[in-house]
Amino acid sequence: MYWDSWAIDALPSWSALNNVELNGTAVAVLQADRGSGIVATKDTTMEDSVLMTVPRELVLSVETIWEFAKSDQDLNSILHAVGEFGQNARGAILIFLLIQITASSSDVARRIGNGHPWTDYIRFLPTSFSMPTFWTEEECKLLQGTSLEPALRTKLKAIEREFVHLRASTESLECCKAWWDPDFGCLTIQDYLRVDALYRSRAMDLPGTGLALVPCIDMANHGSGDATNALYETDVHGNAVLVLVTGKTPKAREELLITYGDDKGACEMVFSYGFIDPNLENARSLFLDIEIPDDDPLKLAKIEAFDAAPGFRVYMSNGEVSWYGPFVWLQCVNEEDGLEFRVLQCNNGERELQVLWSGAIIEGVLALEKCLERSNMWDVFRLRAYVAIVQRIKVQLAEYETVNEGREEVATTEPFIRPRIEEIALALSRLESILLRQAVAEFEDT
């Protein structure tokens, strides 16, 4: 589908028409190919604490979208058709964005949904992205050995499943012929990847609202630590507001920066935003999978009992390396230690897998660590966990070293790799390696 675009110069007119208050601020094209951002149009003072106000009815959240659906039959039909997917913020927002893209596109044969301010606003948003879901096959090879490689693979499979579900759920709807009709249907998985990228890179956890997209405020770029001079809030009327950080008074033409999350790791930054904070000294956080040995008699039950990705997170906390992973505790104990599983037949005919420790039912895997801490074998269990973690980290470090030379060779000789993407991928590998070496040093001394 063709995505229409408008120059950012037209945004003040859209803002005025839709009652967005720009208090000494403007969205402007930045220098050095940095895209757009929010800048101060005058020297600010602490009296200028509210920099921008966006009416509640322009904020996209799961609640507001379902409110829109009360007067938009097409939106209502689609949200109900996709079932549970339309009940959460991401699903509802993605569907709403797809409708607005379709309504705003100049090459769509049939319209869908009612008109909305977002039908025009979406024309101001980017149509190309630097996140790994848009990297070429050659560029993705640069991620080999990093924690982002399996995460990207999983994400692309999930996107495909969602797109198949969307089509299967809505292709019989009259309003969705604009998407699926064999003669003039226009929606492709590339469009779906784009709206997913818009959501990932622009969604914010708005106080009092939850995950949401906020027009104009979503133009703010990231600044970490002391560089952060603005933040988003909700006022007493439910409007989204951009306010000054206490003690910050940006000068005219200075960019207003929010934080996308100072605790986010390098992998998450690349995955969600397509860049790495230049101030990072290590990857800050990463996730490694871990496997249960095939000779473990409880392997299948352990996998069934754990309803999340099997692995652990390594992260920095107060200048020290720590780890978190309930699955690790499950992996390092067995029946002879006191772990049991029992299948319970429920009244509705379904079966439930129960986890037991020393003969007593516990509240799932997350409660296992507390049980182990109370055991007189705690020191042994803890040692097993650390041995398993260090072994897994060393395997990852060995993979970094093995692929590093080949990665640099590919980056140097492959003509279809963009320099900026090469820089990001190599930086991610280097930062993750630094963090894991710190982890090995600290965990082996524990």
Side-chain angles (χ1 to χ4, degrees):
M1 188 191 314
Y2 178 75
W3 287 37
D4 287 7
S5 294
W6 283 354
I8 207 71
D9 295 345
L11 187 56
S13 297
W14 181 91
S15 301
L17 181 64
N18 292 285
N19 300 315
V20 175
E21 298 178 10
L22 306 177
N23 304 317
T25 62
V27 177
V29 177
L30 305 175
Q31 297 179 345
D33 297 324
R34 294 177 54 231
S36 300
I38 302 176
V39 297
T41 58
K42 64 176 184 177
D43 292 348
T44 59
T45 66
M46 292 312 299
E47 285 71 32
D48 301 314
S49 58
V50 179
L51 305 168
M52 187 181 297
T53 302
V54 179
R56 178 188 178 277
E57 56 269 20
L58 295 180
V59 174
L60 296 188
S61 67
V62 64
E63 290 81 11
T64 56
I65 288 174
W66 276 93
E67 285 182 22
F68 301 155
K70 294 177 181 178
S71 57
D72 187 331
Q73 184 58 49
D74 291 350
L75 174 59
N76 188 283
S77 298
I78 296 170
L79 287 174
H80 280 94
V82 298
E84 185 177 345
F85 184 64
Q87 300 293 328
N88 63 72
R90 179 175 172 275
I93 292 173
L94 260 58
I95 287 170
F96 184 83
L97 292 178
L98 286 172
I99 292 175
Q100 304 315 310
I101 289 293
T102 308
S104 66
S105 178
S106 58
D107 71 345
V108 174
R110 296 183 60 171
R111 298 298 169 188
I112 182 172
N114 295 345
H116 190 276
W118 268 85
T119 309
D120 289 332
Y121 181 73
I122 208 162
R123 293 181 168 106
F124 296 110
L125 300 184
T127 58
S128 61
F129 305 90
S130 58
M131 286 94 92
T133 44
F134 296 90
W135 291 9
T136 66
E137 183 177 349
E138 291 77 13
E139 289 167 343
C140 288
K141 289 178 182 178
L142 298 175
L143 296 175
Q144 186 179 356
T146 70
S147 64
L148 183 52
E149 181 188 25
L152 176 60
R153 192 163 52 242
T154 300
K155 176 64 175 179
L156 290 173
K157 289 180 180 178
I159 286 289
E160 185 174 1
R161 286 195 303 270
E162 289 176 357
F163 187 72
V164 169
H165 171 69
L166 176 65
R167 177 160 193 161
S169 303
T170 63
E171 62 183 346
S172 63
L173 298 178
E174 180 67 24
C175 62
C176 291
K177 286 186 176 181
W179 289 348
W180 314 121
D181 188 273
D183 294 324
F184 55 81
C186 62
L187 189 62
T188 69
I189 195 166
Q190 284 300 314
D191 297 310
Y192 194 79
L193 280 166
R194 286 180 175 182
V195 293
D196 169 75
L198 287 176
Y199 177 81
R200 273 189 290 142
S201 61
R202 310 181 90 81
M204 56 189 71
D205 192 0
L206 192 63
T209 299
L211 291 172
L213 295 190
V214 183
C216 297
I217 293 179
D218 68 355
M219 294 288 181
N221 290 316
H222 169 71
S224 61
D226 193 56
T228 305
N229 54 21
L231 55 88
Y232 50 84
E233 280 285 357
T234 304
D235 68 14
V236 294
H237 304 293
N239 303 316
V241 292
L242 185 69
V243 299
L244 284 175
V245 169
T246 302
K248 298 289 186 177
T249 53
K251 301 299 183 182
R253 295 183 295 280
E254 184 176 342
E255 186 175 4
L256 301 172
L257 300 171
I258 63 174
T259 177
Y260 292 178
D262 281 10
D263 58 342
K264 288 182 177 177
C267 178
E268 186 176 359
M269 293 294 284
V270 176
F271 181 80
S272 296
Y273 307 110
F275 69 88
I276 292 178
D277 190 323
N279 296 316
L280 286 183
E281 297 178 353
N282 58 52
R284 192 181 283 152
S285 174
L286 63 85
F287 181 87
L288 293 179
D289 62 351
I290 193 168
E291 294 184 354
I292 297 175
D294 290 335
D295 60 358
D296 187 334
L298 296 180
K299 177 177 181 177
L300 295 179
K302 289 179 178 180
I303 294 174
E304 179 67 24
F306 195 72
D307 59 356
F312 60 96
R313 186 169 66 94
V314 180
Y315 64 97
M316 295 297 298
S317 176
N318 298 321
E320 297 183 352
V321 186
S322 300
W323 68 274
Y324 175 78
F327 187 79
V328 174
W329 301 110
L330 188 64
Q331 188 250 19
C332 67
V333 294
N334 227 311
E335 195 169 12
E336 59 269 21
D337 301 310
L339 179 66
E340 298 177 63
F341 294 96
R342 180 186 300 163
V343 177
L344 177 67
Q345 188 73 37
C346 301
N347 293 332
N348 59 4
E350 296 182 356
R351 301 200 306 173
E352 176 186 338
L353 184 63
Q354 295 181 324
V355 183
L356 294 83
W357 180 254
S358 297
I361 298 174
I362 63 175
E363 294 298 321
V365 175
L366 296 179
L368 180 59
E369 181 182 358
K370 294 295 182 183
C371 295
L372 300 184
E373 287 178 349
R374 294 192 292 268
S375 170
N376 57 11
M377 292 284 289
W378 167 242
D379 288 342
V380 174
F381 299 147
R382 187 170 179 271
L383 177 62
R384 289 181 193 172
Y386 273 89
V387 168
I389 287 171
V390 170
Q391 287 178 342
R392 176 64 183 89
I393 292 175
K394 287 183 175 180
V395 168
Q396 190 73 15
L397 284 170
E399 187 172 359
Y400 283 137
E401 294 175 0
T402 300
V403 303
N404 190 53
E405 183 176 343
R407 180 190 293 117
E408 292 180 350
E409 181 179 336
V410 169
T412 303
T413 61
E414 178 56 63
F416 300 108
I417 293 178
R418 291 164 288 179
R420 176 58 179 155
I421 300 302
E422 173 187 345
E423 178 185 339
I424 291 171
L426 296 180
L428 176 64
S429 177
R430 176 178 58 82
L431 293 170
E432 289 196 342
S433 180
I434 292 172
L435 175 61
L436 292 183
R437 292 184 189 282
Q438 289 178 282
V440 169
E442 291 198 25
F443 295 167
E444 285 189 327
D445 290 339
T446 300

